[in-house]
Amino acid sequence: MIYLPTRVCFGESVLQRAEDHILRLGARPLIVTGRSSARLSGALDELIVVLERADLDWELFDQVEENPSLDTVLTGSKALRESGCDFLIGIGGGSPIDAAKAISLAAANSLGRDELYQTDRFRTALPVAAIPTTAGTGTEVTQYSVLTDPLSGIKAGFGHDLAFPRLAVCDPRHTLSLDPAVTLNTALDALSHLLEGIYSNQRDPLLYPLIHSGAGAILKHLQSVLEQPQDLAGRTELMRASLFGGITIAQTGTTLQHSLGYPLTTSFGLPHGLSNAVVMRQVLELNYPALKGELDALFAALGLNREGFTAWLGELPISVKLELDDSFIEKSVGEVLASRNMANNPIEISAGQIRDIYRGLKG
Ligand code: NAP
Ligand code: FE
């Protein structure tokens, strides 16, 4: 089953062409951003031109940090209620866009700190438009928001149909200002989503053409974009791959790979995409016997075999050595086994297998 309620506008300078769709969402937007990327990417200035031309007032909430916290969502929810805004526009990577989704739900349903993951309390939402400035999460077309609780140190997502953005405005020009590290990490998040679309128990062959095409775009263009950051044609392909990854996980959910990555982000500050990437080979090895046909078909579409894919991964500058101790490993094993993604996993995974993967990252 495929459900995709987001209107997607994709292409160079598409923001101007999306104007009517933005204006239909409401009369006064709260623009939700991180500290600098909305400006650096040029997206905020372009949006302001559109809003001023339509004579719309707007408010700015520009306090979203990487891996947004529950507290930031509550602060944003208060700002939204006080502002009188009637829709939201999230500009940025996954962090500000996920925050915009959660702020909308928190304000519309008067949710408190303990209620942000209680999706049975979600009755309504204010419309959200998403303008991605990274090519990785695909959050512009998903029903997920991933938040971190600073009290417990646990990072976890929720999913609800009311969290789908109403509009996604994807202009690859907005990713030209990404530095090589964020370009690499975010592209590997997209690759992770595409692979997990095959791993997931909710896999759907309808998605395989998107998965094959998206993964192919990353294999073909990532290196050249890292060498030439202004390669707009390559950036366009990476943004398309990210969009396809988002469409995929909106249907299939994520799996063990994302569950393993979250503790690496909360405990060691590893960026989200990198935390998936450092366990990508290990998760592939675990899942391969159960999904040989599907994965071999993917590798064939990429013009490779499994060994060729693993060799490609091995050449990426993603190896990390972390100061992992037993208490981190035991706490994380519990979190991984309890995470909701695990229900999507194609095979039963034991605590021992999770321990071994983490031990392999030890410095
Ligand atoms: P991010 O955390 O949004 O941003 C990473 C860094 O890149 C920030 O410093 C940001 O600056 C900067 N940046 C973003 N766009 C830029 C641009 N065009 N030029 C220069 N700098 C730019 O990174 P992300 O990987 O896109 O998002 C990760 C978050 O999304 C994680 O919390 C992850 O769990 C979540 N996620 C959500 C989904 C979903 O479906 N909802 C899926 C996967 C991941 P600023 O701080 O100024 O913004
Ligand atoms: Fe992700």
Side-chain angles (χ1 to χ4, degrees):
M1 188 189 13
I2 303 286
Y3 181 56
L4 181 64
T6 306
R7 183 186 301 281
V8 178
C9 302
F10 187 100
E12 280 173 52
S13 304
V14 77
L15 186 52
Q16 283 80 13
R17 280 184 276 137
E19 179 168 343
D20 285 352
H21 299 300
I22 295 175
L23 301 181
R24 255 179 248 153
L25 296 179
R28 184 174 156 88
L30 179 74
I31 303 173
V32 178
T33 74
R35 306 231 156 83
S36 62
S37 61
R39 288 191 176 81
L40 269 177
S41 62
L44 181 59
D45 287 346
E46 290 173 23
L47 175 66
I48 288 172
V49 169
V50 167
L51 298 178
E52 285 183 346
R53 198 163 46 217
D55 222 7
L56 247 61
D57 269 348
W58 44 273
E59 295 282 333
L60 181 65
F61 179 73
D62 61 0
Q63 294 168 37
V64 182
E65 71 279 41
E66 285 183 47
N67 308 301
S69 68
L70 301 183
D71 305 283
T72 298
V73 170
L74 291 178
T75 310
S77 164
K78 185 163 174 282
L80 175 56
R81 276 184 273 125
E82 288 171 0
S83 70
C85 291
D86 58 356
F87 74 109
L88 297 90
I89 303 177
I91 307 178
S95 297
I97 295 175
D98 279 7
K101 295 175 180 180
I103 290 169
S104 159
L105 285 158
N109 299 285
S110 304
L111 302 177
R113 198 174 201 288
D114 298 334
E115 296 164 329
L116 289 170
Y117 289 109
Q118 293 177 15
T119 52
D120 55 341
R121 290 181 182 263
F122 298 1
R123 300 272 180 266
T124 178
L126 295 178
V128 173
I131 307 181
T133 65
T134 60
T137 71
T139 182
E140 66 275 10
V141 288
T142 77
Q143 70 280 45
Y144 309 121
S145 172
V146 187
L147 306 172
T148 300
D149 182 348
L151 299 181
S152 64
I154 293 179
K155 178 172 176 175
F158 67 75
H160 194 284
D161 283 355
L162 284 168
F164 273 110
R166 291 269 288 277
L167 176 68
V169 181
C170 310
D171 181 346
R173 285 161 54 258
H174 294 151
T175 64
L176 288 170
S177 52
L178 287 171
D179 67 28
V182 182
T183 301
L184 175 67
N185 296 339
T186 48
L188 294 174
D189 188 26
L191 182 60
S192 196
H193 300 157
L194 293 160
L195 286 169
E196 288 176 274
I198 294 178
Y199 299 156
S200 170
N201 286 333
Q202 299 182 67
R203 79 188 71 83
D204 188 330
L206 271 177
L207 296 165
Y208 291 177
L210 295 192
I211 293 174
H212 294 183
S213 166
I218 293 170
L219 262 77
K220 185 160 176 214
H221 295 280
L222 177 56
Q223 196 55 45
S224 63
V225 169
L226 291 174
E227 283 161 16
Q228 296 173 45
Q230 299 304 306
D231 170 9
L232 185 56
R235 292 274 189 197
T236 303
E237 288 299 301
L238 295 185
M239 191 166 233
R240 188 172 64 79
S242 167
L243 179 71
F244 286 1
I247 293 171
T248 298
I249 57 166
Q251 318 308 319
T252 66
T254 54
T255 64
L256 172 69
Q257 193 159 289
H258 267 64
S259 298
L260 286 170
Y262 290 149
L264 298 174
T265 297
T266 50
S267 293
F268 298 98
L270 234 57
H272 173 68
L274 183 59
S275 64
N276 291 320
V278 296
V279 296
M280 196 174 272
R281 180 186 51 76
Q282 297 85 324
V283 173
L284 174 62
E285 268 167 24
L286 283 179
N287 287 335
Y288 183 76
L291 293 166
K292 192 172 176 316
E294 286 85 346
L295 289 165
D296 282 345
L298 167 68
F299 300 139
L302 303 177
L304 298 167
N305 54 19
R306 179 185 160 198
E307 290 70 28
F309 180 79
T310 310
W312 177 85
L313 267 183
E315 282 166 18
L316 297 172
I318 55 169
S319 73
V320 292
K321 290 286 170 214
L322 302 169
E323 297 296 316
L324 303 181
D325 57 21
D326 285 348
S327 83
F328 165 84
I329 292 177
E330 286 319 308
K331 177 173 171 282
S332 304
V333 166
E335 282 172 27
V336 171
L337 288 173
S339 67
R340 68 185 181 100
N341 295 350
M342 292 303 282
N344 283 332
N345 235 47
I347 53 168
E348 200 70 38
I349 299 288
S350 68
Q353 287 169 314
I354 298 170
R355 261 183 222 115
D356 286 347
I357 293 179
Y358 281 134
R359 284 192 188 125
L361 303 175
K362 233 170 162 164

